[in-house]
Amino acid sequence: MPDQDTTLRARLVEVGVDLLTREGPGSLTLREIARRAGVSHGAPRRYFPSHLSLLSAIAQVGYHDLGGRIAGLRDEADPRAGLLALGRAYLDFARTQRGMFELMFRHELLRGNQIGLRDASRQLFGVLVDLVTRARHDLADPEPVVVAGALWANLHGIAQLWLWGSLQMTVQLDDVDPLLRAALDAHLGPA
Amino acid sequence: MPDQDTTLRARLVEVGVDLLTREGPGSLTLREIARRAGVSHGAPRRYFPSHLSLLSAIAQVGYHDLGGRIAGLRDEADPRAGLLALGRAYLDFARTQRGMFELMFRHELLRGNQIGLRDASRQLFGVLVDLVTRARHDLADPEPVVVAGALWANLHGIAQLWLWGSLQMTVQLDDVDPLLRAALDAHLGPA
DNA sequence: AGAGTGCGTAGACAGTGTCTACCAGCCGTG
DNA sequence: CACGGCTGGTAGACACTGTCTACGCACTCT
C-alpha cells in the first residue's frame, strides 16, 4: 500500500516497483500504474513525458538498490572474498529481484537515457576494478581493467543464462556458486 | 521482396526476419508482418496461435543461423583456435544481427516454448564442451562442463554488455577481441 | 478579491493482440 | 456434372495500450 502523502511522481515510481516485483515487467502499463496510484491515466504525463521515461525511473530504483548492495564491498579486507561476495550479491539480486533485473537491462530502456545505467555501471565497475587490482597485484598480464570487464561480463552472463534456465539445462547444476567460483578462479588465477 | 510462391506460414517468418533486420525488434507487430506479407491481420492466426509463437518462429531462424555458424567449428584441429573462432562468431552474430540477437534472448520469448533455444543451446554447448575438453586435457581441476558453462556465460555477457555500450563506457576499448582473448586465457589457462 | 497557474481529469485517436462469424474456392464423392 | 465439406483467408468487433489536447478545479500571490 503506497504512501498517500508523497508526491505523485514518487508514488508512481513506488507503485511501479511494487507492481514490478509483484506481477512482473509485463504488467508495467502506464495506465495500470496510474490506476493503482489512484489517478487518471493522463496524470503521469505531468512528470514523465513518455512511458519509457517512467520505466527508466523505476529501473533506476533497481540500479540504486544493486549499487547499494555492491558499494559496501569495496573496503573488504580480503579482496578475493569481496569479489565472491560481489558476485553473490549480483546473482542474488538477479534471482530474487527477477522482474527488476529484467527491466534494468531491457534493450529499449538502455537505448535512450542511459544515465541510470551509466552511474550504476561506473559504481559497480569501480568496485570491481578496485577489488581486482588488489586481488591480483602479482600477475600483470592483462590490465586490471580488462580483467574486471571480462569478470563483469562473466558475472552478467551467468545471471542471464541462469535466469532463463539455459545453465540448468546444459550444465546440470542447481546452484550458481560453482560457476561463480570457476569464473573467479579463472580470471584471478587459482586461489 | 519475399517470395510469392511459398506457403504463407513460411512467408510470414520470412517477412518477419526481413523486418527485424531492417527496422529492429520494435516493429515486429503481428499486424505489420501480416501487412507486409500482403495478407489480412487475422491470417497469421491460422498458423500461429499467438503473436509470441510467431516471434518464436522468427527467433528460431536466428537460432538455426547461429547454430550453423558454430557447428562447423567442432572439428577444428586446434581446439584453442576453434574456441577463438567460436567466440568471434558468437560476438559477430550479436553485432551484425543485432535485432535478431535481441529477439532470440528476450525473456518473454524464453518463458514458454524453449524448444528453439533448447536445441540451439544443446548444439552450441556440445561444441563448446568438446573444444574445451580437447583444449585443456591437462588441467582437470573444474570439470570441463563447468568450464564450458562459465565460458559460455562469459561469452554471452560480453555480447550483452557490448551491445548496450557498457563495456565501451567503462573499459575503454573499441573492439571486443581483447576481452574475448582474456576470457579464453582465463578459462583455459594461458596459451 | 481576483488573476494566474500548477496539477490532475476526461475524452479522443491511432494502433495493438485476440476472438468470432463469415465466405470463397477447391477437393473428392455421389 | 452437381454438391457437400473443408482449408485458408477476410473483416469486423472488443478491450486495451500510449500519446495528445482541451478543460477545470483549487490554490497562491499580489
Side-chain angles (χ1 to χ4, degrees), chain A residues 165-186:
Chain A
S166 296
L167 287 178
Q168 296 91 316
M169 180 180 57
T170 50
V171 188
Q172 305 284 357
L173 292 175
D174 56 345
D175 191 18
V176 283
D177 228 54
L179 253 72
L180 176 57
R181 290 183 181 279
L184 285 182
D185 289 346

Side-chain angles (χ1 to χ4, degrees), chain A residues 39-62:
Chain A
V39 295
S40 78
H41 67 272
R45 189 150 230 285
R46 202 56 72 170
Y47 303 94
F48 304 98
S50 71
H51 183 208
L52 236 77
S53 66
L54 173 53
L55 291 185
S56 289
I58 295 172
Q60 286 202 16
V61 175

